[in-house]
Amino acid sequence: MKDIHAHILPGVDDGARDLEDSVEMARMAAKSGTTVIAATPHCNIPEVYDNYFGDEYWKLFERTAEALKRRNIPVQLLPGMEVFSTPDLPELLADRKIITLNGSRYLLMEFDFQEDPGFAGWILGKVAELGVVPVIAHAERYEFVQENLGLVYQWYRKGYGVQINKGSFAGRFGRAAQRAAYELLDHNLVSAVASDAHGTYARTPWMRDVWQELLEEYPADYLRVLFDENPERICRNLDLVRFRQIPFPGLQNHYQV
């Protein structure tokens, strides 16, 4: 499995507290069957986390990757960030303060959980105009998505990536997020499942449990695309495997921007 969303860099956000925490997260991920992790600290959250790309980020990334290698942990660490969406995001990209997942054309983007759907559609379009492919982080957790799953239907049709948190399937983020995660999966609107790991006790990088749980209801070939093939394609800058989208009867399958 490849994990494109994990807060494994130490001491920069609400994820790994220190380097030893990062090492333990990687060790847990490896035991669970994960071979690649994209280090995606929170970035661009106003008055909370900046974490823009630069020498400080790169030195910390290399230090963490070297620690995993020194401990013989069989996990490859790749650079990235989870970018909070603000109106100036296109300018931040142009100024190279933002990095994509492993330098690919795929950018992991998050929103305020009560974001206006019109703004979400607008900023996704602006980023796409730059030749960058948005990957919407934990799409199932946003209230505006839970109220209108047709938004994700349209995002997927536009070619955007849709990432779901593994914890949502177990109800970790509430019933609304759990319901949305399963409905998006049932309608072929998920590009990748990721851990969104923050530590080794809660919101962990252990992926095997949700794989086994979903395997009881979904074909292994389908899940393999979401847990392994598409995450690898994102990291290698390749086109995503896409499925035939199933619209939501009775729900809005459009939005205004």
Side-chain angles (χ1 to χ4, degrees), residues 92-144:
L92 293 171
L93 279 164
D95 292 340
R96 298 184 179 180
K97 291 184 177 181
I98 303 295
I99 60 169
T100 55
L101 292 165
N102 198 34
S104 69
R105 63 183 181 274
Y106 296 97
L107 180 68
L108 187 65
M109 297 174 58
E110 70 168 330
F111 300 98
D112 188 284
F113 289 106
Q114 292 83 37
E115 185 60 84
D116 173 67
F119 170 77
W122 177 81
I123 195 63
L124 287 168
K126 287 296 182 181
V127 168
E129 287 175 3
L130 299 176
V132 175
V133 179
V135 177
I136 296 93
H138 44 64
E140 79 286 358
R141 295 188 60 198
Y142 304 116
E143 290 185 10
F144 65 98

Side-chain angles (χ1 to χ4, degrees), residues 81-252:
M81 52 183 54
E82 180 185 16
V83 184
F84 190 82
S85 299
T86 56
D88 61 345
L89 182 51
E91 288 76 17
L92 293 171
L93 279 164
D95 292 340
R96 298 184 179 180
K97 291 184 177 181
I98 303 295
I99 60 169
T100 55
L101 292 165
N102 198 34
S104 69
R105 63 183 181 274
Y106 296 97
L107 180 68
L108 187 65
M109 297 174 58
E110 70 168 330
F111 300 98
D112 188 284
F113 289 106
Q114 292 83 37
E115 185 60 84
D116 173 67
F119 170 77
W122 177 81
I123 195 63
L124 287 168
K126 287 296 182 181
V127 168
E129 287 175 3
L130 299 176
V132 175
V133 179
V135 177
I136 296 93
H138 44 64
E140 79 286 358
R141 295 188 60 198
Y142 304 116
E143 290 185 10
F144 65 98
V145 166
Q146 295 166 2
E147 294 169 356
N148 180 9
L149 295 176
L151 293 171
V152 182
Y153 176 82
Q154 284 298 322
W155 293 343
Y156 194 94
R157 286 175 61 86
K158 288 176 178 288
Y160 306 158
V162 178
Q163 179 258 306
I164 301 297
N165 278 10
K166 61 110 173 177
S168 292
F169 294 108
R172 172 68 175 76
F173 304 104
R175 292 184 178 179
Q178 183 181 40
R179 182 175 60 252
Y182 275 104
E183 289 202 41
L184 293 174
L185 197 61
D186 289 340
H187 285 74
N188 294 341
L189 298 175
V190 179
S191 307
V193 176
S195 72
D196 192 4
H198 281 64
T200 55
Y201 295 100
R203 300 181 67 176
T204 75
W206 188 270
M207 296 281 281
R208 186 182 299 167
D209 52 355
V210 70
W211 165 272
Q212 293 174 334
E213 178 183 337
L214 293 176
L215 195 58
E216 297 178 4
E217 301 182 44
Y218 300 90
D221 287 345
Y222 179 39
L223 297 179
R224 196 170 293 113
V225 170
L226 307 183
F227 282 78
D228 189 78
E229 185 170 354
N230 268 347
E232 180 173 1
R233 284 175 171 268
I234 287 171
C235 295
R236 296 179 59 193
N237 200 32
L238 302 174
D239 292 341
L240 292 172
V241 174
R242 304 181 63 79
F243 303 99
R244 182 180 62 85
Q245 310 94 48
I246 302 173
F248 295 95
L251 292 179
Q252 298 178 23

Side-chain angles (χ1 to χ4, degrees), residues 8-9 19-27 35 37 61-78:
I8 194 172
L9 290 188
L19 191 58
E20 286 305 310
D21 206 15
S22 301
V23 168
E24 289 306 311
M25 287 176 67
R27 183 174 284 119
T35 59
I37 295 176
F61 173 85
E62 291 186 325
R63 179 182 170 217
T64 308
E66 179 59 32
L68 304 191
K69 184 182 298 184
R70 192 167 58 249
R71 306 292 182 89
N72 295 315
I73 298 174
V75 170
Q76 181 183 13
L77 200 65
L78 300 177

